[in-house]
């Protein structure tokens, strides 16, 4: 099979949609985030799935950006970089949660409890090094990057605009978790998951049409001078 840019674009669309589906699935019947949960199989499976989701989202976001790069300008590039950084940090922290914290819980339960608390907006009683800063930066990148990617995708008018709006609103709305009860944590992740599925399917369909010659390429859609002010 010949690997073409459209096939890569379709693969990126599939990756984005699968990432969104995983993001929703791991929220269902999610156990309490405490020390007792860390040593369970459920914890390892869910965080392993989140690690896979983060990797797929990174690949998918790259495909989304490349499809729209001539229409989203520097703001779109900034959004892609920031949101990608957020998913990269998420990949690192969920990998740590899945494959290191269960062992750490046996030898350093206090430290593990502090890490889990800090990861979900609580306060660590002890020293967990730079992890508190990593969790904070991940949250900032998630909110700001999602907002920028959503808005620039909406303005580009290439992929599903409803999904772009949902991504922007879904990611930005997580700021409210600072004042809402912990029970809102899981439901508020669902809009972002749906948005990723919508954008992924939209990208896959777009690339499928391009492969059959049904639509022109984006690079020929408008002069550079016009694109620079979008």
């Amino acid at each position: 099979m010949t690997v073409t840019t459209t096939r890569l674009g379709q693969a990126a669309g599939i990756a984005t949609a699968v990432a969104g589906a995983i993001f929703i699935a791991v929220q269902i019947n999610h156990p309490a985030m405490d020390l007792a949960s860390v040593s369970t199989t459920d914890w390892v499976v869910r965080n392993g799935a989140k690690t896979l989701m983060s990797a797929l989202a990174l690949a998918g976001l790259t495909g989304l950006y490349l499809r729209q790069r001539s229409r989203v300008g520097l703001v779109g590039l900034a959004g892609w970089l920031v949101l990608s950084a957020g998913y990269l940090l998420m990949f690192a922290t969920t990998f740590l949660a899945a494959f290191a914290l269960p062992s750490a819980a046996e030898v350093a339960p206090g430290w593990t409890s502090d890490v889990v608390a800090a990861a979900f907006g609580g306060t660590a009683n002890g020293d967990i090094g730079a992890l508190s800063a990593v969790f904070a930066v991940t949250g900032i990148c998630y909110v700001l990057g999602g907002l920028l990617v959503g808005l620039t995708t909406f303005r580009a008018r290439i992929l599903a605009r409803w999904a772009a709006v949902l991504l922007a609103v879904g990611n930005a709305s997580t700021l409210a978790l600072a004042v809402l009860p912990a029970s809102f944590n899981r439901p508020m992740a669902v809009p972002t998951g749906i948005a990723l599925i919508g954008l992924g399917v939209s990208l896959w369909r777009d690339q499928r049409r391009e492969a059959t010659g049904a639509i022109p390429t984006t690079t020929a859609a408008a002069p550079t001078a016009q694109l620079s002010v979008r």
Side-chain angles (χ1 to χ4, degrees):
M1 181 179 69
T2 303
V3 178
T4 63
T5 55
T6 52
R7 286 189 182 277
L8 289 174
Q10 286 179 299
I14 293 171
T16 306
V18 173
I22 293 174
F23 198 43
I24 294 173
V26 296
Q27 312 304 329
I28 300 173
N29 295 325
H30 204 294
M33 291 294 92
D34 53 29
L35 183 62
S37 299
V38 174
S39 299
T40 64
T41 301
D42 190 24
W43 173 278
V44 175
V45 171
R46 287 181 189 272
N47 281 282
K50 293 174 188 177
T51 302
L52 174 61
M53 180 275 296
S54 302
L56 291 172
L58 278 169
L61 281 172
T62 301
L64 292 173
Y65 169 71
L66 291 176
R67 178 63 183 94
Q68 307 174 100
R69 67 188 184 281
S70 61
R71 292 193 178 186
V72 296
L74 291 177
V75 177
L77 174 60
W80 170 66
L81 289 173
V82 172
L83 188 56
S84 294
Y87 277 112
L88 182 60
L89 290 172
M90 194 181 299
F91 176 89
T93 54
T94 54
F95 186 91
L96 171 70
F99 303 109
L101 284 190
S103 297
E106 298 179 4
V107 296
W111 181 85
T112 304
S113 293
D114 284 341
V115 170
V116 173
F120 292 92
T123 302
N125 296 318
D127 182 13
I128 60 172
L131 282 176
S132 292
V134 169
F135 295 141
V137 172
T138 302
I140 292 171
C141 290
Y142 181 81
V143 171
L144 180 59
L147 184 61
L148 292 177
V149 169
L151 292 177
T152 53
T153 297
F154 179 82
R155 286 172 58 84
R157 295 177 176 271
I158 296 175
L159 304 177
R161 302 183 86 199
W162 68 265
V165 172
L166 192 59
L167 179 68
V169 173
N171 282 34
S173 66
T174 58
L175 289 171
L177 290 174
V179 295
L180 290 174
S183 58
F184 282 82
N185 194 308
R186 302 304 161 191
M188 291 189 72
V190 174
T192 296
I194 295 174
L196 291 174
I197 293 173
L199 289 172
V201 171
S202 180
L203 177 61
W204 182 83
R205 288 177 174 174
D206 171 88
Q207 293 298 282
R208 187 180 183 185
R209 289 193 301 269
E210 186 168 310
T212 60
I215 60 174
T217 59
T218 302
T219 54
T224 302
Q226 292 179 333
L227 298 176
S228 64
V229 297
R230 283 182 179 270

